[in-house]
Amino acid sequence: PDSHEKAQVLAAIASGLMRGGTAEEVDRAARAALASAGEVGDVAQQVSAAITYGRVCTHAISLEAGLAEMRRAAALAEANGDPEGLANARVSIADVLYELGRYAESVDTVCTAHAGARLVGVGRKTGVFLAGNHAEALIALGRWDEAAQLVDDTLGFDAPGNVALAVLHPQAWLRLARGEAGAPEVVS
């Protein structure tokens, strides 16, 4: 029978398969997690599974299909008072908007999400991912100074584990693009 624990495990499996499973495996796990979470009314796991399913859609179907699924996850999180789920959905939405070349929209999404993440206390981790997406979109828009300031400010938060990579990557782009001394060493 479905339970909150089963929904959690299925969502975790779907998320884990994103790193090494086939599109079919991730799709199957994400759909199972969505169904299980829906049966027991576990909104947080529905949001998590919908974000994962949205990622599957971006790779297996289209970026637009994935974006629609991620927006559905964000709406579900917002309607049910799940601020962490909302922040995570917006990270993914901003990422897909960037991939679609909709940089200004990506920046707007990140700015909204970042403010919300700080309000609910998930800024130290989720905020770093948002800052990375924000910096990438600013770079694409030619707003390099803003991107550099954002990266510098974010690195001051002492992000946990490898989370800082989200902003180190755009920092390396900027250094290379500007021809800064030592930039090739930063990237290698």
Side-chain angles (χ1 to χ4, degrees):
D2 288 317
S3 67
H4 290 284
E5 292 79 16
K6 180 180 177 182
Q8 267 184 314
V9 168
L10 289 171
I13 289 170
S15 184
L17 284 171
M18 284 296 298
R19 293 176 194 89
T22 66
E24 294 79 23
E25 290 170 329
V26 180
D27 178 64
R28 190 170 42 254
R31 286 178 188 265
L34 276 169
S36 180
E39 283 293 317
V40 296
D42 190 329
V43 173
Q45 295 311 316
Q46 283 179 292
V47 170
S48 175
I51 293 167
T52 300
Y53 183 65
R55 289 185 191 135
V56 170
C57 290
T58 62
H59 299 293
I61 301 171
S62 73
L63 290 172
E64 290 290 350
L67 181 60
E69 195 61 37
M70 290 170 190
R71 284 189 167 151
R72 188 182 74 74
L76 180 65
E78 190 168 32
N80 288 280
D82 179 7
E84 189 170 354
L86 180 59
N88 289 333
R90 286 181 172 157
V91 166
S92 295
I93 290 167
D95 197 38
V96 173
L97 288 169
Y98 175 84
E99 289 181 48
L100 286 165
R102 292 161 53 181
Y103 307 125
E105 236 182 302
S106 180
V107 167
D108 291 344
T109 299
V110 167
C111 288
T112 301
H114 215 188
R118 277 180 286 192
L119 284 175
V120 298
V122 296
R124 187 165 174 249
K125 182 177 176 188
T126 304
V128 175
F129 290 115
L130 288 166
N133 286 352
H134 193 178
E136 288 174 346
L138 289 171
I139 292 166
L141 291 168
R143 295 162 54 184
W144 291 10
D145 291 338
E146 285 177 73
Q149 185 62 54
L150 175 64
V151 167
D152 290 345
D153 291 348
T154 304
L155 288 172
F157 291 136
D158 189 30
N162 64 359
V163 173
L165 292 173
V167 288
L168 290 172
H169 190 240
Q171 181 187 55
W173 283 356
L174 283 168
R175 288 183 175 178
L176 282 171
R178 289 180 167 169
E180 292 180 15
E185 290 80 25
V186 171
V187 177
S188 59

